Amino acid sequence: MHRFMYISTATSYNDDNEMASILRVSRRNNARDDITGLLVKGGPRFLQVLEGPERAVRATYQRILADPRHKAAVELIDEPCAERQFGDWAMGYEVGGLAGIDNNIRAVVANLVDTIADRYLKAHFTSFAELHAR
């Protein structure tokens, strides 16, 4: 089992329809490839974790890197893991940090990651939510 986390920046605004399309394809591919994870969008930034067989996780990340809808990907975690933290999610998703809208991304992300046992992984998501709640 392998875990990979990265952060990237959207090259343009992703509206709800485009995000729904991205999620539909991602969830289908992730279910096929035995990958689970979580994607949080804060303004133009994405924070995503992928878990699953190492070869499948790396192939998925290579497809993500080739996608022109985002840039400046930075790897945060690349490690083997004993168990999944997102075992029931083909790809959980949450959006937050929209200019002028108080959608309480802190509370939403805190609820999403409440059951995550890995404190380091949880800290990445909570600090991302904190930054994008401003």
Side-chain angles (χ1 to χ4, degrees), residues 24-83:
R24 189 173 37 259
V25 171
S26 295
R27 287 175 175 147
R28 181 193 67 221
N29 292 342
N30 289 352
R32 176 197 67 211
D33 297 337
D34 193 26
I35 292 176
T36 56
L38 175 63
L39 172 65
V40 176
K41 182 177 187 290
R45 304 286 289 176
F46 292 95
L47 177 65
Q48 183 172 29
V49 64
L50 303 167
E51 300 173 324
E54 183 174 5
R55 181 174 284 176
V57 167
R58 293 196 185 285
T60 298
Y61 184 59
Q62 290 306 306
R63 282 194 309 271
I64 291 167
L65 287 177
D67 189 326
R69 293 175 289 198
H70 69 101
K71 62 182 179 183
V74 176
E75 299 173 12
L76 302 173
I77 298 174
D78 185 359
E79 64 188 10
C81 60
E83 61 185 354

Side-chain angles (χ1 to χ4, degrees), residues 8 25 30 44-45 54 63 83 89 96 103 114 119-120 127:
S8 67
V25 171
N30 289 352
R45 304 286 289 176
E54 183 174 5
R63 282 194 309 271
E83 61 185 354
W89 301 352
N103 55 357
D114 186 52
R119 290 182 292 159
Y120 183 64
S127 62

Side-chain angles (χ1 to χ4, degrees), residues 9 12 14 36 42 46 54 76 85 98 103 105 111 116 131:
T9 302
S12 63
N14 300 111
T36 56
F46 292 95
E54 183 174 5
L76 302 173
Q85 297 294 307
L98 301 176
N103 55 357
I105 189 173
N111 187 51
I116 296 175
L131 178 66

